[in-house]
């Protein structure tokens, strides 16, 4: 199986949590469904009518995700458009509190069953080109990307803990293995969107384990993929 590896980053990212109400809280990681949109922007897949989602339905695409920069969350007051935003009694805009990931950088691992789509994505990444401007969740949060390479891999099972260099979905996680000197900052990202249908209805969610500072996680997992000297969970 061939896997494309590339880094994405920007000044801010925002991936709104589904249960956020009075303030717009953000996931610390781009949901897999948002990664589909990022890939679609690079390739120029048609968004009108959610046509691009046909290229990702039925789990045609496997994705892995590593944290490269420490995850720092910031809350900022944002003036929304007049028809959406709140107003003070004097009519002036009342900022809406929104949460952002500050200076995020992630490494993506992507393997698509469609060899033609995979090859086109590799070409666009290698040439550092995109049809549409890729963003980190919102239209104004512009993103850069850099191609790392294409690698061959196959899934591996292990009966003992290993160092995992990516986030770990609950569906493949078995147990953590800590040493006495462990200083890992492991947190869980709940209700993480994995798949959606062509009407943009989320059809599958999972919880994601991650290390906030980008360190490896020493854990036992059901399956991992050796990629460029690292152990990655693809889902």
């Amino acid at each position: 199986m061939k896997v494309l590896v590339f880094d994405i980053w920007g000044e801010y990212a925002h991936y709104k949590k589904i249960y956020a109400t009075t303030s717009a809280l953000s996931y610390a990681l781009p949901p897999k469904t948002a990664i589909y949109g990022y890939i679609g922007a690079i390739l120029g897949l048609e968004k009108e009518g959610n046509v691009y989602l046909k290229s990702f339905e039925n789990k045609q695409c496997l994705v892995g995700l590593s944290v490269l920069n420490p995850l720092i969350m910031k809350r900022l007051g944002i003036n929304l458009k007049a028809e959406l935003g709140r107003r003070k009694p004097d009519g002036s805009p009342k900022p809406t509190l929104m949460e952002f990931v500050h200076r995020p950088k992630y490494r993506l691992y992507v393997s698509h069953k469609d060899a033609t789509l995979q090859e086109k994505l590799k070409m666009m990444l290698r040439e550092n080109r995109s049809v549409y401007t890729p963003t980190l969740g919102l239209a104004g949060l512009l993103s850069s990307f850099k191609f790392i390479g294409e690698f061959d891999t196959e899934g591996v099972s292990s009966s003992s803990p290993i160092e995992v260099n990516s986030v770990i979905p609950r569906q493949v996680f078995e147990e953590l293995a800590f040493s006495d000197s462990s200083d890992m900052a492991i947190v869980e990202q709940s209700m993480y969107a994995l798949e959606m249908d062509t009407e943009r209805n989320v059809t599958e969610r999972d919880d994601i384990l991650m290390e906030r500072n980008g360190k490896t996680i020493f854990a036992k997992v059901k399956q991992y993929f050796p990629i460029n000297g690292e152990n990655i969970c693809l889902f």
Side-chain angles (χ1 to χ4, degrees), residues 179-196:
S179 66
D180 292 338
S181 60
S182 175
D183 60 350
M184 291 187 292
I186 296 177
V187 294
E188 184 177 80
Q189 188 83 87
S190 300
M191 300 294 289
Y192 179 88
L194 294 180
E195 305 293 344
M196 66 169 53

Side-chain angles (χ1 to χ4, degrees), residues 12 17 21 32-33 47 51 58 73 80 83 100 113 117 120 135 140 166 186 217 227:
Y12 288 101
K17 290 184 175 180
T21 53
K32 187 183 180 187
T33 50
K47 286 191 174 182
V51 173
N58 301 319
M73 310 302 291
L80 301 177
E83 64 271 19
F100 296 87
K113 290 182 179 179
L117 187 149
K120 182 179 178 182
T135 63
S166 68
I186 296 177
I217 303 174
I227 301 173

Side-chain angles (χ1 to χ4, degrees), residues 56-68:
F56 300 99
E57 63 182 345
N58 301 319
K59 297 189 177 182
Q60 296 181 69
C61 185
L62 287 178
V63 167
L65 175 64
S66 293
V67 175
L68 298 185

Side-chain angles (χ1 to χ4, degrees), residues 47-130:
K47 286 191 174 182
E48 187 69 29
N50 299 321
V51 173
Y52 80 99
L53 288 172
K54 292 182 179 179
S55 298
F56 300 99
E57 63 182 345
N58 301 319
K59 297 189 177 182
Q60 296 181 69
C61 185
L62 287 178
V63 167
L65 175 64
S66 293
V67 175
L68 298 185
N69 281 355
L71 295 170
I72 300 172
M73 310 302 291
K74 285 192 173 184
R75 295 189 180 185
L76 305 174
I78 303 297
N79 287 326
L80 301 177
K81 292 181 180 179
E83 64 271 19
L84 299 176
R86 298 176 297 169
R87 293 279 176 175
K88 296 179 182 179
D90 63 2
S92 61
K94 185 176 183 179
T96 298
L97 194 64
M98 294 184 66
E99 186 176 56
F100 296 87
V101 191
H102 183 48
R103 293 183 178 173
K105 187 174 185 180
Y106 310 102
R107 178 159 292 175
L108 300 183
Y109 306 81
V110 176
S111 179
H112 203 288
K113 290 182 179 179
D114 185 332
T116 301
L117 187 149
Q118 179 96 348
E119 190 63 26
K120 182 179 178 182
L121 179 59
K122 180 175 72 172
M123 179 191 71
M124 298 293 282
L125 291 170
R126 181 177 286 165
E127 297 176 359
N128 198 35
R129 292 194 295 121
S130 66

